[in-house]
């Protein structure tokens, strides 16, 4: 497979722009040779026009035929695994092991949506039989059916070059729903993204899908994203990234004559509460789980635990020692890009510099782009008084908050804004008196985990990957699992048919 | 029952304001004696604070106990039917027959949501069993459960004093979900709304619901609505009314630090296509159905058919004569308020004054507030060229568009924006060649009706009352039927519990 510098507009390619850019190898700390043509206004318009034209054709294909298309993509990803993983690692600094796990997950996501839509009645939501003798008026028959909302713009995520980018969860669920997809590729992994895009097009041609159901545009500039969101043919947007980025898209979408839904997943602090008996019985195991959850893939997950709430009690010192021992054994890992590394260092230093905050660093590295794992420590009172301590630090950092008692933990939790996840480690005995705190966690989070860590998001039917604002722009929808398809469908009632 | 001039703030009443207003009897064309205290800033804040306090208590009640509460409201509405209908007719000009139908529907809506939530597992969305021997990692157990989003502000609708106001579909579904409701009553029927509010409070006290789950605020001023939407405790908004009103609320909701969903149902043209063989076989019946659908309750329905597409063929004259005969027999009816009557006259006169538009008025009335039924007629070409002909006229008016052929009908439909409904009258034979036009209707509408009219919205499981923008602000949710509850719920996944 050859990386192409061109934009992919349906079954054609296009390189009309003057501006090019390169992606970056963070391990070697240097640019990668390939360059990419930034999409022009005309190219964006061409992709959106083609998507509009393709929409009625795609929407009228059967779920079964779209399932064949999704499985063909999956199969091509598998066939080209070696080339994909190679470029993935070059452009992201993530190792091949992580690349393989992520590619497996991407393939499984495609399979999940294929399974969802290959059933004959997958789109039948409800049915009412006619009652022609009802008084005072006969009741007509009704069938409520799911219908695709139209072309969807998907923004690639920096931290998931496979699973949340080109043909990740957003794209797979939109295509499954019957919506054409226009990907604005993430510039940090433009090459990997281009390879995947070529495979999607190959699969579309092989399985007889119409031209225009998938386009792939290169861009460093925010202007390209702006034009895509403002284009009248765009009917929804999928995004995973920063709060600032997500909110910028949300505001653009609301400025349109026709406002459209933006599904932005914008990060989270993912608080974990660890209680005394859990520490006492399982402290060693918990400390290891938490260390891995904070530091794996350099902590570059939206579900990385960023807050650890513990009680000031006789178990604490032991637990902190365990945590420190584990942190001392963590090998610093390369981060995705120098900009992300700089932002990480700025973020962890900001936390460290706050009053009443102590910092432990067990394994410092000066290597460019490698993230130094760090735990900061404060008390419950300071945490509630200083809003800066609630800012997400994207990378291998977590803030440990030592509280005086359960009611202080509860106040801290009540002070938090919306989160993707919240976790609690406790014994069966402790669980019995936790109903208040559990309810508080439900008020802020989209997923509650008992005796487990939030990373390693399971792709299953009952996963909810979402949560109250500012974790996402719409807490009622999930970005992971088969229900992600409902973001891109709307119901239509057919009255009096058959 | 006595109408109170006060605002209802949970279990208390409050009349702190300086400003009062009265509602209006459109039949007598004069103000009604009762006056109402406009809610003050402090009263709005008090209602929202109480709602926030009540939320965790309400959210932790069982569906069963909320079903008891909803049924108690229904029972009190029934007991006080006479007083309610009396004030309803005084304030709306709608007759007792319509009042009774609407009250029955309101009671049935409460029963629908009671039935939905009294089942033990009504809120269980999905479940995954644990698989502890799975490789490479064990799979934890998951339960995905629906959780209420928080206090909901409901704006009363002018045209449904019972079914889409105080304890109509929005309020009933929000309370069923476990969300406190703050109603901004519609000033045109402030008295009826106050009576209903008193019954909701009586039912809440009787069934042990917490103080603050329901408040009822009087207002003429848009400022009150603004403050309610901007209040940080508000988590969603329900609205039925004009495009301008709905969009103003939507924009306010997006200006907040935390944007919130607005479910605004903003009107629709509800196109009907009537084909040749249908006219030939059933012309008489269809003409009568359509006449009633346009003129009943003075055409003051969001599903009133505002566009009638027909072919210029040998059946047309007969059909038009039938329609005229029926219109000649329609008794003009009183409209809700002088402002609505004035807007109606302005709207129908605007349509009449366009080039290439003819107007038939068979039964003109000069009586103040009584709506003159009117059909305007144009051709397909004019319709597509003049955007003014696509503006909704709220009242007993419809625009008949005579097209040269099916492809002109199709172009007209493709020029339409989002609609709540679209209908088609055709023979079984004609149906066979309609797949293109049916698909075009699906692209613009939330409900497609075969050989029937859009008014008389059935409250059933497979009803979808919604549609693409600008018919509503979110086409994925319905305002009618049990699925209306999903507007006010978000999923939470519980991982590793039990």
């Amino acid at each position: 497979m050859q990386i192409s510098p061109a934009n992919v507009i349906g079954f054609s390619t296009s390189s009309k722009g003057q501006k090019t850019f390169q992606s970056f190898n963070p391990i070697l700390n240097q640019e990668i040779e390939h360059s990419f043509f930034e999409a022009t206004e005309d190219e964006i318009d061409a992709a959106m026009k083609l998507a509009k034209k393709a929409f009625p054709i795609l929407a009228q294909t059967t779920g079964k035929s779209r399932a064949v298309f999704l499985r063909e993509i999956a199969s091509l990803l598998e066939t080209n695994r070696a080339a994909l993983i190679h470029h993935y690692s070059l452009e992201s600094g993530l190792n091949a092991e992580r690349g393989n796990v992520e590619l497996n997950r991407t393939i499984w996501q495609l399979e999940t949506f294929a399974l969802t839509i290959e059933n004959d009645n997958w789109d039948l939501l409800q049915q009412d039989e006619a009652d022609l003798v009802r008084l005072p008026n006969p009741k007509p028959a009704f069938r409520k059916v799911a219908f695709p909302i139209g072309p969807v713009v998907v923004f690639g995520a920096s931290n998931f070059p496979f699973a949340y980018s080109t043909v990740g969860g957003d794209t797979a669920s939109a295509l499954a729903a019957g919506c054409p997809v226009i990907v604005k590729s993430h510039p940090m992994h433009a090459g990997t993204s281009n390879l995947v895009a070529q495979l999607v097009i190959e699969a579309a041609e092989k399985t007889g899908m119409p031209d225009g159901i998938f386009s792939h545009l290169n861009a460093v500039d925010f202007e390209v994203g702006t034009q895509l969101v403002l284009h009248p043919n765009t009917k929804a947007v999928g995004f995973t990234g920063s709060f600032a980025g997500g909110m910028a898209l949300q505001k653009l979408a609301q400025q349109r004559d026709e406002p459209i839904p933006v599904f932005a997943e914008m990060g989270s602090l993912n608080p974990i509460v660890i209680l005394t008996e859990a520490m006492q019985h399982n402290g060693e195991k918990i400390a290891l789980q938490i260390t891995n959850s904070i530091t794996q893939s350099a902590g570059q997950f939206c579900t990385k635990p960023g807050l650890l709430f513990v009680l000031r009690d006789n178990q604490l010192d032991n637990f902190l020692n365990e945590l420190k021992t584990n942190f001392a054994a963590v090998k610093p890992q390369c981060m995705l890009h120098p900009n992300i590394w700089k932002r990480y260092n700025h973020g962890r230093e900001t936390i460290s510099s706050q009053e009443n905050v102590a910092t432990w660093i067990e394994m410092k590295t000066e290597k460019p782009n490698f993230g130094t794992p760090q735990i900061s420590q404060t008390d419950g009172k300071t945490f509630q008084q200083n809003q800066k301590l609630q800012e997400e630090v994207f990378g291998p950092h977590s803030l440990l908050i030592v509280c005086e008692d359960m009611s202080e933990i509860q106040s801290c939790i009540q002070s938090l804004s919306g989160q993707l996840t919240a976790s609690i480690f406790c014994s069966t005995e402790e669980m019995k008196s936790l109903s208040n705190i559990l309810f508080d966690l439900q008020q802020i989070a989209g997923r509650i985990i008992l005796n487990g860590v939030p990373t390693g998001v399971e792709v299953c039917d009952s996963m909810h990957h979402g949560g109250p604002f500012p974790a996402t722009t719409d807490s009622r929808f999930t970005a992971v699992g088969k229900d992600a398809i409902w973001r891109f469908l709307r119901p239509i009632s057919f009255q009096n048919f058959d």
Side-chain angles (χ1 to χ4, degrees), chain A residues 50 56 63-64 70 86 131-132 138 156 187 193 216 228 238 246 357 364 379 407 451 454-455:
Chain A
L50 204 59
K64 272 194 180 55
L70 296 181
H86 173 71
D131 179 357
L132 300 176
S193 196
H216 182 263
L228 282 168
V357 173
K364 194 170 172 61
D379 58 81
S407 99
N451 293 319
T455 47

Side-chain angles (χ1 to χ4, degrees), chain A residues 23 25 57 63 91 108 115 128 172 211 219 224 231 255 274 309 313 317 333 350 410 432 443 447 486:
Chain A
S23 55
N25 183 324
I57 310 171
E91 291 187 318
W108 168 239
L115 284 168
D128 277 82
D211 190 9
V224 171
H231 200 287
Q255 277 164 27
I274 311 140
F309 293 100
D313 60 22
D317 282 349
Q333 287 172 63
T350 302
Q410 208 177 348
K432 289 178 187 160
Q443 288 202 62
R447 178 163 55 110
W486 300 111

Side-chain angles (χ1 to χ4, degrees), chain A residues 387-497:
Chain A
Q387 201 56 36
K388 278 223 162 68
L389 299 178
Q390 289 203 21
E391 279 171 25
E392 185 183 359
V393 180
F394 189 74
H397 171 269
S398 200
L399 176 64
L400 185 114
I401 303 108
V402 181
C403 294
E404 297 309 316
D405 51 29
M406 283 303 289
S407 99
E408 192 170 57
I409 291 188
Q410 208 177 348
S411 310
C412 287
I413 286 170
Q414 287 172 350
S415 79
L416 295 177
S417 57
Q419 306 290 333
L420 293 172
T421 74
S423 312
I424 189 155
F425 285 90
C426 64
S427 70
T428 316
E429 204 45 41
E430 283 168 329
M431 184 69 185
K432 289 178 187 160
S433 54
L434 282 184
S435 68
N436 281 341
I437 216 167
L438 262 177
F439 188 78
D440 289 330
L441 294 177
Q442 289 175 58
Q443 288 202 62
I444 58 159
R447 178 163 55 110
I448 318 283
I449 302 133
L450 181 64
N451 293 319
V453 292
T455 47
V457 180
E458 184 79 30
V459 181
C460 68
D461 293 358
S462 12
M463 172 51 64
H464 182 67
H465 189 67
F469 185 88
T472 75
T473 44
D474 194 335
S475 64
R476 291 160 306 162
F477 293 92
T478 179
V480 175
K482 73 168 189 193
D483 285 348
I485 198 172
W486 300 111
R487 297 176 296 172
F488 306 121
L489 292 164
R490 64 179 173 89
I492 298 182
S493 278
F494 288 88
Q495 178 174 335
N496 216 22
F497 283 72

Side-chain angles (χ1 to χ4, degrees), chain A residues 42-63:
Chain A
D42 284 353
E43 286 170 328
I44 296 166
D45 191 53
M48 292 311 312
K49 279 191 176 134
L50 204 59
K52 187 180 178 170
K53 220 173 126 191
F55 172 57
I57 310 171
L58 183 65
Q60 288 179 90
T61 57
T62 60

